[in-house]
Amino acid sequence: MKPILSLAIAALISTAPPVLARPGLAPAGGTPILRMTQAQPATGPEAQTPPGSDTRQGLRPAPVRGLAGAYLAARQAATDSDFAAAARYFGEAVAADPAEPFLQDGALVSMISAGEIDRAVDLANRLAQAGGDETELGVLLRRVDLARREDWTGVLALLDQGGPSPSAGGPMLDGLFRAWALMGAGRASEAFATFEQMGEGEGVAGIAAFQLALARAMVGDYEGAAAALDNPEASSHLQGVLARAQVLSQLERNDEAIAMLDGLEAIENEPALVDLRRRLQSGETLPFDVIGNAREGLAQVLVTFAGALIGDEETDPLALIYARLGQSLDPEMPDARLLIAQLLQSAGQFDLAEREFDALREAGQMRPAAELVRIDSLVRAERMDAAEAAARALTEAYPDYAQAWVALGDVLRQRDKFAEAVPVYDRALEILQTGEDPQATWFPLYARGIAKERSGQFDSADADFQAALELQPDQAPILNYLGYSWVDRNVRLDEGLKLIERAVELRPDDGYILDSLAWAYYRLGRYAEAVAPMERSVAVMSDDSLVNDHMGDIYWMVGRKREAEIQWQRALSLYKPEDTDTDVDRIRAKLNVGLDAVLEAERANGGTLPEGFGLPEPEPATVEASGSAVPPRP
């Protein structure tokens, strides 16, 4: 059976260096956590949890007297990641009960997530002026607002006033805030000492060293910056690589910077680094422009924290909060905008995300590797129009970037636009074949082979598959696809079986490959041998209509006809419009007249089933006295 291929980005991501996978530096050890205020448990009748409320992570919703509707609407909007609606409803709830910390945090989180920073600052300031206990997020937001206005004396005063509680994100963020506030206030020596002291703590050496390097480079101490960036944890990410290259160049050490860049994998996925290397190679002395002031340095801190909260399985909601706050400090920072766009897309807020991606494109700050991830995410979300548009935009922006063409070809292929995909893969291969690594061409060859095979160009498809196999002789998907395509067309059956058997050796539990093996035995008339692998395939892929159809055919041929009919009925029940390999009319014919009659009709008709064979005759139209035909009664 032919597997459904994922986008080529999966292969790209698996080989790309982790340092370039996402903007920002994840601190070693534990991640920073901003503790959200939890409402205290109520007692009495008010302790009842409103119907439909979310009590995950031990949060108990605070009672909202007289405005339960706004509260519940806010919680529902927040659950749906509809940040603008959540901000509106939480704002109404806070207006009714301004002293409730749980509602304050809900309103602030929603406003910041929606990008309504000024509105959130206004609320935080009003709550602070009203007295009472502030939430950690409210304190953090007021600090960011002071930093945004470059009131560094005010930031230091607020840090001193706050004491150990509330911490606004923990000692790591407090310390970095203080260090950058000292830099902004012109107290560089104290700031350096603060960064260095923080670097002595467990699990924070990398982030402290990176921030120290930025601070030293900002004031022209490139020797000190280079020493700080010698720590691999301080420069093992895109911003760290950029900073180190610029610092080395300022020290007239372009050769070291070039050697560092040459030691990275997949540098072609980051045009900024490709351009950087070209400029270094030409002898240019690069300016240091990663940051220009303390405000931008603090923005780097917040975006770093945001990146640290992104998980493979689940992302902390605070990641978007930190990224939004970082962007408020440095609106031109591309990493902040990119991270926000990715987080919004992950939350299903595609329209909001698209605004950020559009802004990146307009500013010339599109990052191809990130765009590939975005395209893959759009495909997974079944937003195929958007995925195709994004892939086409990437090829237009970077016409010599082979992976952009591969991604576009993959999207077209997944949309069954096989003929359109072929010239797209042609372009990708044209670019890759000018490179020094022939192995880079195997996937586009394989993918183009699929597109050709699906569009009926069988001989040309076979040539692509075989060329890919020469490069990757132990790639089970290629072995399986080529073997199955021969078996399914009833040609080169013995050769096809050998290819599939090798694929089974490599992936013994792959449902697609087991289906191919069983089908090869079926085509060769070895029906009894086909049963076991087919049953294993059905066990793995029980919801696949084609697998169940094949199981029915094999059961029929070994005399298990009642079980065959059950499998065919199951195949019909599982059929979806995207199951283009499943022939629904053929299954219905088998249920009506049996597989033997279907096969005989196909043999007599040159290998294809005559149209309408085995299907019930349509009910004749009734004729009125006037002779006009009318449709039968329902």
Side-chain angles (χ1 to χ4, degrees):
M1 182 178 185
K2 301 161 185 172
I4 300 172
L5 286 175
S6 62
L7 294 178
I9 181 59
L12 178 68
I13 293 170
S14 67
T15 57
V19 300
L20 304 180
R22 71 166 78 110
L25 173 72
T31 56
I33 297 176
L34 176 62
R35 296 183 299 278
M36 304 302 293
T37 302
Q38 297 184 16
Q40 296 300 313
T43 57
E46 294 157 350
Q48 298 292 324
T49 301
S53 295
D54 189 350
T55 57
R56 291 173 292 182
Q57 300 179 352
L59 296 179
R60 188 166 205 165
V64 184
R65 298 176 181 84
L67 204 61
Y71 168 71
L72 292 175
R75 289 301 298 265
Q76 183 60 53
T79 300
D80 295 339
S81 298
D82 187 347
F83 305 121
R88 181 171 68 255
Y89 290 124
F90 268 122
E92 293 178 10
V94 169
D97 190 355
E100 175 51 58
F102 181 84
L103 297 179
Q104 294 173 21
D105 263 348
L108 293 176
V109 165
S110 302
M111 291 173 185
I112 298 170
S113 297
E116 301 174 13
I117 304 298
D118 290 340
R119 185 181 173 202
V121 166
D122 180 64
L123 174 60
N125 286 331
R126 283 191 286 108
L127 293 172
Q129 292 165 6
D133 293 333
E134 287 187 80
T135 69
E136 297 178 25
L137 184 55
V139 173
L140 174 60
L141 186 58
R142 290 205 295 130
R143 289 183 190 174
V144 169
D145 180 52
L146 290 169
R148 187 169 57 161
R149 293 186 275 119
E150 298 190 332
D151 181 356
W152 301 111
T153 301
V155 172
L156 291 168
L158 192 55
L159 283 163
D160 292 336
Q161 170 189 327
S165 179
S167 68
M172 183 189 297
L173 187 56
D174 285 359
L176 293 172
F177 242 102
R178 182 176 297 279
W180 280 112
L182 290 168
M183 285 295 297
R187 297 156 62 181
S189 296
E190 293 176 67
F192 296 157
T194 303
F195 283 126
E196 289 167 355
Q197 183 179 7
M198 290 188 63
E200 298 172 1
E202 184 177 355
V204 298
I207 189 172
F210 176 58
Q211 298 298 323
L212 174 61
L214 295 182
R216 287 192 178 278
M218 189 183 82
V219 297
D221 179 8
Y222 296 114
E223 290 284 359
L229 289 168
D230 282 341
N231 180 342
E233 294 181 29
S235 56
S236 60
H237 53 96
L238 180 60
Q239 290 299 312
V241 170
L242 290 171
R244 193 175 185 198
Q246 291 177 358
V247 165
L248 289 172
S249 185
Q250 285 290 315
L251 294 171
E252 300 182 352
R253 293 157 61 181
N254 279 18
D255 55 341
E256 292 181 46
I258 291 171
M260 174 195 66
L261 293 173
D262 288 344
L264 299 174
E265 295 181 26
I267 187 176
E268 69 277 4
N269 295 326
E270 293 292 348
L273 297 185
V274 174
D275 181 63
L276 206 67
R277 191 193 185 287
R278 179 189 58 77
R279 294 166 63 191
L280 290 165
Q281 188 70 51
S282 71
E284 180 181 344
T285 298
L286 303 178
F288 180 80
D289 60 6
V290 175
I291 64 166
N293 53 48
R295 179 173 45 78
E296 293 176 5
L298 192 52
Q300 286 278 347
V301 170
L302 290 164
V303 173
T304 293
F305 271 51
L309 292 173
I310 296 178
D312 293 334
E313 298 296 329
E314 186 173 351
T315 293
D316 193 308
L318 286 168
L320 181 56
I321 300 296
Y322 284 131
R324 287 286 199 190
L325 293 178
Q327 186 184 48
S328 75
L329 290 172
D330 186 1
E332 302 304 316
M333 183 180 181
D335 280 359
R337 190 177 294 280
L338 174 60
L339 197 57
I340 289 167
Q342 292 172 332
L343 289 166
L344 288 171
Q345 181 169 279
S346 297
Q349 297 298 302
F350 294 100
D351 291 339
L352 291 177
E354 195 58 33
R355 294 178 198 170
E356 304 296 334
F357 283 120
D358 284 343
L360 285 167
R361 282 194 293 273
E362 291 169 7
Q365 296 168 337
M366 182 189 294
R367 286 179 56 188
E371 282 293 292
L372 292 174
V373 175
R374 174 189 171 215
I375 293 164
D376 186 49
S377 298
L378 288 169
V379 170
R380 293 175 188 276
E382 298 183 355
R383 295 175 64 91
M384 301 304 293
D385 286 342
E388 183 176 336
R392 290 191 184 279
L394 185 57
T395 61
E396 291 170 6
Y398 297 96
D400 296 324
Y401 183 46
Q403 289 297 339
W405 294 98
V406 172
L408 176 56
D410 288 352
V411 172
L412 292 172
R413 187 166 42 79
Q414 293 195 23
R415 304 194 77 182
D416 294 340
K417 298 179 179 181
F418 300 112
E420 287 184 53
V422 172
V424 171
Y425 288 123
D426 289 344
R427 176 58 183 149
L429 286 163
E430 180 184 333
I431 297 168
L432 291 170
Q433 285 162 354
T434 63
E436 298 178 357
D437 182 12
Q439 288 294 332
T441 64
W442 78 263
F443 184 88
L445 281 167
Y446 170 43
R448 187 175 68 176
I450 295 172
K452 288 178 176 177
E453 189 266 347
R454 290 299 181 97
S455 54
Q457 304 175 52
F458 299 120
D459 291 341
S460 185
D462 289 354
D464 277 350
F465 290 136
Q466 289 168 323
L469 270 180
E470 287 182 14
L471 295 168
Q472 292 284 324
D474 289 329
Q475 275 287 346
I478 309 175
L479 292 162
N480 174 60
Y481 202 103
L482 179 56
Y484 182 86
S485 68
W486 285 342
V487 165
D488 199 46
R489 284 151 44 202
N490 222 7
V491 300
R492 304 175 71 168
L493 295 178
D494 291 326
E495 293 175 80
L497 176 60
K498 288 179 181 178
L499 293 177
I500 295 167
E501 287 174 336
R502 176 59 182 150
V504 172
E505 290 175 11
L506 294 166
R507 293 191 183 178
D509 298 318
D510 188 304
Y512 288 110
I513 298 174
L514 289 169
D515 176 81
S516 298
L517 179 62
W519 203 238
Y521 286 144
Y522 172 88
R523 289 293 197 192
L524 289 164
R526 295 159 61 175
Y527 305 121
E529 293 175 76
V531 173
M534 196 70 249
E535 289 179 336
R536 287 171 59 198
S537 179
V538 169
V540 175
M541 304 171 65
S542 59
D543 60 348
D544 188 284
S545 62
L546 184 60
V547 167
N548 283 275
D549 182 24
H550 283 175
M551 186 78 261
D553 287 11
I554 291 169
Y555 276 157
W556 181 278
M557 287 303 189
V558 295
R560 296 163 64 173
K561 297 188 175 182
R562 179 56 185 151
E563 291 170 272
E565 292 171 353
I566 292 172
Q567 293 299 138
W568 291 329
Q569 290 283 8
R570 180 167 175 75
L572 284 179
S573 70
L574 293 169
Y575 174 77
K576 301 179 292 295
E578 57 266 31
D579 295 344
T580 53
D581 285 339
T582 302
D583 189 335
V584 173
D585 284 344
R586 190 174 189 272
I587 296 174
R588 289 174 177 147
K590 288 185 289 189
L591 284 166
N592 287 330
V593 300
L595 178 57
D596 296 334
V598 166
L599 292 174
E600 180 59 34
E602 288 174 337
R603 281 192 291 270
N605 195 48
T608 60
L609 192 66
E611 185 176 354
F613 178 85
L615 301 181
E617 291 292 331
E619 294 184 31
T622 59
V623 181
E624 293 183 334
S626 63
S628 61
V630 296
R633 295 181 183 278

